[in-house]
Each structure stands twice: as structure tokens, then as C-alpha cells.
Amino acid sequence: MKGIYRKDLYQILASWPVLLLIAGIVTGLMIYFDAAVGISAFFPIYFAMQAATTIISDRSTGWTRMSTTFPITRKRLTESKYQLTMVSALLGFVLGMAIWALVSALKQKPLDLAGDDLQINLCIAAIITFCATGTLIPLAYMAKKGQEFITIFASFLLPAALVIFWSQNISSEVTMAGNDIISVNINMQLPMLQGMAIFSLLLFVASYLIMPAILARRDQR
């Protein structure tokens, strides 16, 4: 089984110059626009998607059909994609937090680990990571060849809808004294966002527990 994970890692790392360039550009833009805390959300999503989309590469190269001859069940092979995705997301989280901490130290800014900004970014990262990959993995196996971009687009519909719904429920309360604004209280609806993050994780776990057995019974196309 280690060979399966090694193959996927080699497949991801084969395009390391492009991956590094994209990561560098996004990180640089976040630092430039003083939104370095967003790095903590970017890398888990970025790493998880690289792992999940190895399914598309497997199918396009014919490796998926060939894997049916291996002494490993198709259910186990499918489960390995979920496992690789989860491990990649955790590695992305560690790297993202480390880079954010480094940037904060270089800019001599305090590292606010309990702040709303970090909580919001991590919750959004969890929603996109788990919702998208928990949907993408089964869709990528079930879709016909040529529908790869459709499956990727479809996998982002639910997390996008959740984030949009949350953003529309953000409210603000302004305290006035005459014509002067005394204070502005913004309700970021953190409990709602945290609930969505938990729902997304549960969706991923449910997909991991249910879909491999179902997908194993389907014909490889």
C-alpha cells in the first residue's frame, strides 16, 4: 500500500515548479495586502485539492483501469485517496500556520491565535477543504472522461453556497450620539461558521465511510 501513496506523491511533485510558483504568488499577494492570516487557510485547501485531483490524473492516464489488476481491493484504493487528502490538508495547515507566524514575526506583529480573523480563516478553510474534497473524490470516480473540470466546479458549489450564506448573515450595529458614530459592533456570526465547518468535516467523514464501497462496485470508465 505504501507504493500507492508514493505514486501519488510523485505524481503531485512532478509539477512542483508550477505548484511552488502558485503558492509563492498567492502568499506574496496576501503579505502585500496585509492579509497574511489568510495563508493559514490557503495551504490546507491547496494541498488537499492536489491530493484529491490525483484521481483525475489516474483516470486520464489509464492507471485507474490498470489498478484493478493489483492485489489491493478497489475499496482500499479509493480509501487511500481520502486518507491522502486528509494528511495533505493537515500538512497544509501546519505549513500555513508556520508561514503566517514567520511573517508576523518579521513584521513584528503579535500572533493572535485566539482572534476572530484566524478563527474565520480556519473555518472557511475547513468548509472548502472538506466539503469540496468530500464531494470531488466520488464525483471524479463517477464522471465520464472529459468531465474533469465539471466535477471540480461542481465540488465547489456547496462550500461556496455555505460561505455566501454566512457572509450574508453578518450584521453590524452602529451606536450614534447625535450625528456622531460612537461605536460599530459587527457580528461575524462565528457560531454559524463553526457549525458549517463541523458539518463539512462530518460530510467528508461520511463520504469516506460510505462512498468507497459504492464506488468499488461501479465499472471503471
Side-chain angles (χ1 to χ4, degrees):
M1 196 64 194
K2 292 181 181 179
I4 301 298
Y5 295 114
R6 189 177 295 115
K7 185 273 300 178
D8 285 338
L9 291 175
Y10 283 153
Q11 189 170 291
I12 294 170
L13 294 175
S15 56
W16 70 265
V18 176
L19 297 177
L20 186 60
L21 178 62
I22 294 173
I25 291 173
V26 173
T27 300
L29 288 173
M30 288 184 177
I31 295 172
Y32 178 79
F33 289 107
D34 199 25
V37 68
I39 298 171
S40 62
F42 166 70
F43 277 98
I45 299 170
Y46 189 50
F47 279 25
M49 289 303 297
Q50 300 309 314
T53 52
T54 57
I55 299 169
I56 295 173
S57 299
D58 289 345
R59 295 192 63 191
S60 63
T61 59
W63 189 91
T64 301
R65 285 180 179 273
M66 184 181 68
S67 67
T68 59
T69 64
F70 294 170
I72 303 172
T73 64
R74 287 170 59 181
K75 179 176 180 290
R76 186 71 184 88
L77 287 170
T78 306
E79 289 174 344
S80 73
K81 297 296 185 181
Y82 286 93
Q83 294 162 4
L84 180 64
T85 297
M86 176 62 82
V87 171
S88 297
L90 291 175
L91 290 175
F93 166 73
V94 172
L95 180 60
M97 290 293 290
I99 295 176
W100 173 53
L102 178 61
V103 171
S104 298
L106 292 175
K107 289 189 172 184
Q108 297 183 340
K109 289 186 176 182
L111 201 63
D112 189 3
L113 296 177
D116 286 354
D117 286 348
L118 180 60
Q119 291 186 55
I120 289 170
N121 275 275
L122 293 182
C123 284
I124 291 176
I127 292 169
I128 296 176
T129 297
F130 296 123
C131 245
T133 58
T135 306
L136 175 60
I137 292 174
L139 283 181
Y141 277 115
M142 292 188 289
K144 296 179 180 179
K145 285 187 177 181
Q147 295 181 338
E148 290 83 3
F149 289 105
I150 296 176
T151 60
I152 294 174
F153 175 78
S155 69
F156 279 96
L157 291 179
L158 179 57
L162 290 174
V163 173
I164 291 172
F165 180 78
W166 162 73
S167 65
Q168 290 177 339
N169 281 274
I170 296 174
S171 60
S172 61
E173 182 179 342
V174 179
T175 303
M176 303 284 294
N179 293 325
D180 298 325
I181 298 176
I182 301 299
S183 64
V184 178
N185 181 33
I186 300 177
N187 184 355
M188 296 302 297
Q189 300 291 350
L190 271 176
M192 177 189 294
L193 194 63
Q194 291 165 349
M196 289 177 176
I198 294 172
F199 164 78
S200 300
L201 176 58
L202 293 177
L203 176 64
F204 181 88
V205 172
S207 181
Y208 170 69
L209 294 175
I210 297 170
M211 293 309 299
I214 295 174
L215 294 170
R217 294 195 292 267
R218 292 177 59 90
D219 291 334
Q220 298 288 4
R221 291 178 288 175

